[in-house]
């Protein structure tokens, strides 16, 4: 048993795919597909093929903490069947408590075996945030999530933070954040972390990221926030098909007006495409069927930091905390300008009263001088 | 009236070149940019929805508004850079040291300004030096705050603009939104700082009129001509009034030189 498991671990991705009954042609199609999603040039397809033919499969441990599993859901629905088969297959994925066949002590034992055997080699995928207020808020098998994360991270080669929960905290971290939900990069400081935000991230994006890591054995190019540039380098707005309406200044004012029916830009009904970095406009969702804006709803900025607190979703400006429930920066600004204006009027009246002696004096001096002017 | 008549004597003012040309150019470019940037900024943040039966292909008004905003932003930044240079080569009223608020003299002057011009109270003793020639130190501090806000605008503005540009200049600021937690926060800061600039501008304009109205030393016109009128007694050599000799009419002269009124 131990021997067969060992030999299975040494399998390359190619072998694993062929063993599952796919043809070489399927494999080539898959490699092309992945290369395209990873944002590689066509000349790099051969590299992807070579990497998958020669590299032994890297073990993946997938942990779930405070989350809703929408990332896993999105992932198993990604476009190409091989993704789910190869990566999420029982054989490939060493530990994921929602999908693995083993359970209970068996599952934990399998995880520990992988962690020990592949120390420093395995990839740790994390879905969900860590409650820092009280460790007991999220426990698995009697252990706190912080404890589990630290243990799993210690031997990991790299960490992939799936979704907004693991990358930014998402809804659990929304004010007042009772559990002090904390994203992974604020806890683990000594490992390379790829942040793949989104609620959930697009399945193909997830596949592209993980394929990049396992096939090339290194991280994709990341931006300043640790997001893969290939998928988070552009704003939704920059690839939105409604962009011509934006530039033409044609906007829907409400979801049921004639402009909305025309398919005009959703900027005025709160679309956050201009502030959101994601691939929705180009990759779309559910096998490229559509994406929120195409379905007539503005982007809610799900891949951006604190997107739950930047509400309301249907207004251009967020409400300001500390200024009442419904006040935006503009309302605060108008009131402040009004108060300042009123203050200045009072000051002007006060100046003419308080300084009346000086004023009268100076006017008289001026008149005197004027009288002295030689005609 | 008798009282003021008794104290009357012709003041002798000197015309001093306080605001050099680059300072005035900066002021008016800045004035123009703030108006254009705020107007287009408000439109960008909340555009009117125009119902039109024309195709999007034949319209580009929102694009033009945004282009104007970006073009004005470049002009604004260039003016700031020029003014920064002038902080080091300009005259004593334009130099950086005129804006440094933590000297003994500056704090003393600030106390005077708060007492006399903010709280509108009177002082028993008048000192000519209390009346500032360039900026008084409260105003200087306000302009320092203006500059802080200008930098906030440049940082956040170019930060937001960077992803749409290939040029290195805006891309120098690409780190800003990631530092502030995303484009969303950056945009709110950009918007809020605009409001602060507008509010401080209103106060600035009011105070210019206030000083002109009260002191009549050419406060308003100085930003066009560069000149302000300074009492001759403040010159290195003290001049006595020549009016006495030149005047052909009988002039009622005060018994003694009256230093009480600085204007
Ligand atoms: S719908 Fe949203 S993303 Fe699309 S152009 Fe309008 S503002 Fe941009
Ligand atoms: S359109 Fe915006 S809110 Fe919707 S999935 Fe994409 S990034 Fe998230």
């Amino acid at each position: 048993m131990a021997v067969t498991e060992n030999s299975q671990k040494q399998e390359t991705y190619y072998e694993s795919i062929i063993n599952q009954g796919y043809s070489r042609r399927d494999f080539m199609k898959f490699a092309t597909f992945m290369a395209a999603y990873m944002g590689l040039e066509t000349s790099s397809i051969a590299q992807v093929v070579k990497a998958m033919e020669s590299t032994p499969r890297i073990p993946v441990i997938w942990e779930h903490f405070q989350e809703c599993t929408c990332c896993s859901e999105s992932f198993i629905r990604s476009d190409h069947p091989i993704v789910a088969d190869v990566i999420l297959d029982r054989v490939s994925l060493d530990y994921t408590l929602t999908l693995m066949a083993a359970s209970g002590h068996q599952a934990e034992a399998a995880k520990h075996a992988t962690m020990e055997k592949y120390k420093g080699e395995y990839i740790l995928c994390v879905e969900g945030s860590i409650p820092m207020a009280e460790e007991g808020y999220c426990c698995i098998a009697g252990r706190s999530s912080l404890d589990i994360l630290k243990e799993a991270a210690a031997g990991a080669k790299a960490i992939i933070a799936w979704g907004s929960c693991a990358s930014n905290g998402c809804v659990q971290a929304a004010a007042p954040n009772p559990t002090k939900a904390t994203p992974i990069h604020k806890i683990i400081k000594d490992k390379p972390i790829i942040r793949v935000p989104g609620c959930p991230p697009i399945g193909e994006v997830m596949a592209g990221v993980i394929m990049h890591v396992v096939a090339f054995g290194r991280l994709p190019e990341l931006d300043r926030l640790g997001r893969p540039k290939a998928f988070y380098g552009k704003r939704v707005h920059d690839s939105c098909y409604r962009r011509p309406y934006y530039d033409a200044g044609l906007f829907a004012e409400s979801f049921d007006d004639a402009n909305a029916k025309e398919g005009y830009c959703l900027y005025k009904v709160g679309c956050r495409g201009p502030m959101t970095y994601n691939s929705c406009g180009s990759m779309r969702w559910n096998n490229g069927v559509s994406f929120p804006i195409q379905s007539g709803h503005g982007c809610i900025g799900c891949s951006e930091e604190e997107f739950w607190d930047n509400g309301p979703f249907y207004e251009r400006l967020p409400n300001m905390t500390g200024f009442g429930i419904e006040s935006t920066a503009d309302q605060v600004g108008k009131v402040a300008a009004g108060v300042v204006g009123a203050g200045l009027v009072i000051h002007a009246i006060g100046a003419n009263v308080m300084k009346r002696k000086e004023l009268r004096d100076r006017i008289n001096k001026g008149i005197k001088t004027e009288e002295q002017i030689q005609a | 009236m008798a009282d003021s008549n008794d104290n009357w004597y012709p003041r002798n003012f000197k015309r001093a070149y306080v605001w050099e040309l680059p300072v005035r150019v900066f002021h008016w470019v800045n004035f123009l940019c703030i108006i254009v940037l705020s107007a287009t900024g408000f439109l960008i943040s909340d555009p009117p929805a125009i119902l039109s039966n024309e195709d999007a292909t034949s319209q580009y008004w929102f694009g033009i508004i945004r282009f104007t905003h970006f073009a004005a932003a470049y002009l604004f930044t260039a003016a700031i850079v020029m003014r920064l240079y002038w902080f080091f080569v300009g005259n004593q009223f334009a130099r950086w040291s005129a804006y440094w608020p933590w000297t003994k003299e500056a704090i003393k002057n600030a106390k005077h300004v708060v007492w006399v011009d903010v709280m509108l109270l009177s002082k028993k003793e008048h000192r000519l030096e209390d009346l500032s020639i360039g900026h008084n130190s409260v105003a200087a501090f306000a302009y320092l705050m203006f500059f802080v806000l200008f930098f906030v605008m440049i940082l956040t503005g170019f930060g937001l603009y960077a992803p749409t540009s290939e040029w290195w200049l805006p891309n120098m600021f690409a780190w800003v939104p990631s530092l502030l937690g995303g484009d969303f926060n950056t945009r709110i800061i950009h918007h809020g700082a605009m409001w602060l600039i507008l509010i401080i501008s209103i106060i600035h304009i009011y105070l210019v009129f206030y000083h002109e109205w009260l002191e009549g030393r050419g406060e308003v016109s100085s930003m066009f001509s560069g000149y302000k009128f300074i009492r001759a007694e403040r010159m290195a050599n003290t001049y006595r009034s020549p009016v006495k000799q030149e005047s052909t009419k009988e002039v009622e002269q005060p018994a003694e030189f009256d230093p009480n009124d600085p204007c």
Side-chain angles (χ1 to χ4, degrees):
Chain A
M1 177 65 196
V3 180
T4 44
E5 197 187 280
N6 202 14
S7 65
Q8 268 182 339
K9 297 278 183 216
Q10 298 308 315
E11 229 176 26
T12 64
Y13 287 101
Y14 177 65
E15 285 160 359
S16 154
I17 289 165
I18 297 298
N19 286 346
Q20 301 216 9
Y22 291 101
S23 65
R24 173 151 179 102
R25 190 183 171 81
D26 291 328
F27 166 73
M28 289 305 290
K29 280 202 273 186
F30 171 67
T32 312
F33 179 87
M34 280 337 297
Y37 272 151
M38 282 185 248
L40 303 177
E41 298 164 12
T42 37
S43 56
S44 316
I45 296 169
Q47 265 175 279
V48 178
V49 171
K50 198 151 174 262
M52 295 186 63
E53 278 175 345
S54 54
T55 30
R57 194 189 55 80
I58 299 173
V60 176
I61 292 179
W62 188 308
E63 295 283 12
H64 299 255
F65 300 121
Q66 288 194 132
E67 45 93 355
C68 71
T69 320
C70 76
C71 300
S72 295
E73 287 288 342
S74 178
F75 188 52
I76 57 178
R77 276 159 188 75
S78 63
D79 219 344
H80 206 285
I82 293 183
V83 173
D85 278 353
V86 172
I87 306 300
L88 272 184
D89 189 87
R90 174 178 58 82
V91 182
S92 301
L93 197 65
D94 295 79
Y95 179 82
T96 174
L97 49 85
T98 43
L99 292 168
M100 68 197 300
S103 65
H105 293 297
Q106 248 186 319
E108 296 301 313
K111 181 172 87 171
H112 281 102
T114 307
M115 279 178 1
E116 257 158 54
K117 192 165 168 201
Y118 296 99
K119 201 166 172 32
E121 283 173 47
Y122 63 85
I123 306 295
L124 173 65
C125 293
V126 181
E127 209 178 323
S129 58
I130 307 292
M132 297 298 274
E134 180 73 65
E135 295 205 352
Y137 279 147
C138 179
C139 284
I140 297 151
R143 293 175 62 202
S144 76
S145 41
L146 180 63
D147 204 25
I148 298 172
L149 172 71
K150 281 188 172 160
E151 184 196 41
K157 185 181 177 197
I159 301 174
I160 302 178
W162 285 142
S164 290
C165 300
S167 316
N168 305 318
C170 204
V171 68
Q172 307 89 296
N177 192 359
T179 63
K180 283 220 172 56
T182 308
I184 306 311
H185 66 277
K186 293 201 176 140
I187 297 169
I188 307 295
K189 305 273 185 196
D190 56 349
K191 297 281 171 184
I193 298 177
I194 308 173
R195 289 159 74 185
V196 189
C199 190
I202 304 172
E204 285 72 37
V205 167
M206 298 177 76
V209 171
I210 200 163
M211 285 315 292
H212 195 289
V213 177
V214 296
F216 292 122
R218 56 185 146 81
L219 307 190
E221 202 189 340
L222 304 179
D223 69 5
R224 279 181 188 76
L225 293 174
R227 306 178 293 195
K229 273 191 181 165
F231 306 111
Y232 295 90
K234 283 244 177 298
R235 302 173 303 171
V236 172
H237 187 59
D238 294 327
S239 52
C240 177
Y241 76 105
R242 297 196 187 204
R243 181 61 186 267
Y245 291 119
Y246 173 87
D247 288 329
L250 296 169
F251 303 107
E253 287 255 48
S254 69
F255 285 107
D256 54 1
D257 67 5
N259 291 5
K261 208 175 154 209
E262 290 287 339
Y264 287 173
C265 169
L266 300 166
Y267 187 72
K268 291 203 74 184
V269 286
C271 180
R272 285 175 192 178
M275 291 164 284
T276 305
Y277 292 78
N278 209 339
S279 306
C280 303
S282 46
M283 286 194 173
R284 315 210 169 177
W285 283 81
N286 303 322
N287 305 348
V289 170
S290 179
F291 75 117
I293 292 165
Q294 196 174 341
S295 310
H297 192 288
C299 167
I300 59 172
C302 75
S303 57
E304 289 298 305
E305 203 115 334
E306 288 172 12
F307 84 99
W308 290 102
D309 289 332
N310 290 336
F313 288 148
Y314 303 107
E315 313 239 327
R316 291 284 311 133
L317 277 173
N319 287 334
M320 309 258 292
T321 42
F323 289 100
I325 313 166
E326 290 279 281
S327 45
T328 64
D330 274 343
Q331 281 156 319
V332 174
K334 280 176 205 162
V335 170
V339 169
V340 167
L344 294 181
V345 169
I346 291 167
H347 191 273
I349 295 167
N352 281 289
V353 175
M354 303 284 281
K355 308 276 180 196
R356 62 188 181 284
K357 238 189 105 221
E358 284 101 318
L359 275 168
R360 203 192 301 131
D361 203 46
R362 280 164 204 166
I363 290 168
N364 287 334
K365 275 185 250 168
I367 292 171
K368 274 275 184 189
T369 309
E370 185 259 345
E371 285 166 0
Q372 302 297 319
I373 296 168
Q374 287 175 325
Chain B
M1 273 329 104
D3 190 60
S4 55
N5 276 351
D6 286 346
N7 279 336
W8 181 78
Y9 68 98
R11 296 298 202 222
N12 188 8
F13 287 94
K14 291 287 166 195
R15 199 173 62 188
Y17 193 50
V18 175
W19 310 129
E20 297 153 294
L21 186 64
V23 174
R24 283 173 283 150
V25 169
F26 167 72
H27 177 273
W28 291 114
V29 170
N30 216 352
F31 164 82
L32 199 83
C33 285
I34 289 175
I35 287 180
V36 170
L37 286 167
S38 304
T40 51
F42 274 121
L43 281 173
I44 292 167
S45 90
D46 188 15
I50 293 175
L51 271 174
S52 166
N53 44 19
E54 261 184 286
D55 276 342
T57 42
S58 53
Q59 295 187 55
Y60 196 64
W61 77 263
F62 202 55
I64 288 167
I65 296 279
R66 289 174 69 247
F67 175 81
T68 312
H69 191 79
F70 303 142
Y74 276 115
L75 183 63
F76 176 74
T77 309
I80 298 275
V81 170
M82 189 267 277
R83 185 64 182 86
L84 284 181
Y85 169 70
W86 210 253
F87 270 130
F88 297 96
V89 297
N91 69 13
Q92 54 174 314
F93 303 109
R95 263 175 192 273
W96 64 271
S97 48
Y99 296 83
W100 186 247
W102 313 122
T103 64
K104 246 174 103 190
E105 265 310 300
I107 291 168
K108 201 170 154 197
N109 182 248
K111 282 183 189 155
H112 165 85
V113 173
V114 168
W115 186 258
V116 170
D117 293 318
V118 179
M119 292 159 71
L120 298 169
L121 299 166
S122 304
K123 274 181 144 183
K124 272 189 224 96
E125 248 187 87
H126 294 269
R127 294 190 327 138
L128 275 183
E129 305 85 73
D130 280 343
L131 205 65
S132 302
I133 295 169
H135 301 309
N136 69 49
S137 39
V138 174
F141 184 72
Y143 300 135
L144 203 63
M145 290 300 103
F146 250 141
F147 267 88
V148 171
L149 287 171
F150 293 162
F151 285 128
V152 168
M153 288 317 257
I154 290 172
L155 288 174
T156 53
F158 278 112
L160 288 168
Y161 179 71
T164 61
S165 173
E166 300 283 308
W167 195 29
W168 57 264
L169 182 83
N171 277 300
M172 253 168 42
F173 299 92
W175 53 274
V176 178
S178 37
L179 189 80
L180 298 173
D183 284 20
F184 209 89
N185 288 345
T186 314
R187 201 182 128 253
I188 295 164
I189 293 168
H190 196 68
H191 199 81
M194 173 203 66
W195 270 109
L196 283 178
I197 289 175
L198 290 181
I199 287 171
I200 302 183
S201 299
I202 295 170
I203 301 174
H204 161 76
I205 293 165
Y206 165 73
L207 285 175
V208 169
F209 288 136
Y210 162 86
H211 283 288
E212 180 72 74
W213 174 252
L214 203 64
E215 297 161 2
R217 298 187 298 147
E219 190 85 19
V220 172
S221 66
S222 69
M223 208 30 87
F224 295 96
S225 63
Y227 303 116
K228 273 199 184 182
F229 295 91
I230 318 293
R231 281 282 294 278
E233 289 79 1
R234 300 189 72 168
M235 306 295 107
N237 307 318
T238 307
Y239 295 86
R240 300 302 324 248
S241 167
V243 178
K244 193 174 154 191
Q245 290 84 44
E246 286 164 11
S247 176
T248 49
K249 288 185 187 168
E250 268 293 293
V251 181
E252 203 182 322
Q253 288 293 333
E256 244 181 279
F257 171 68
D258 170 25
N260 270 352
D261 189 5
C263 297

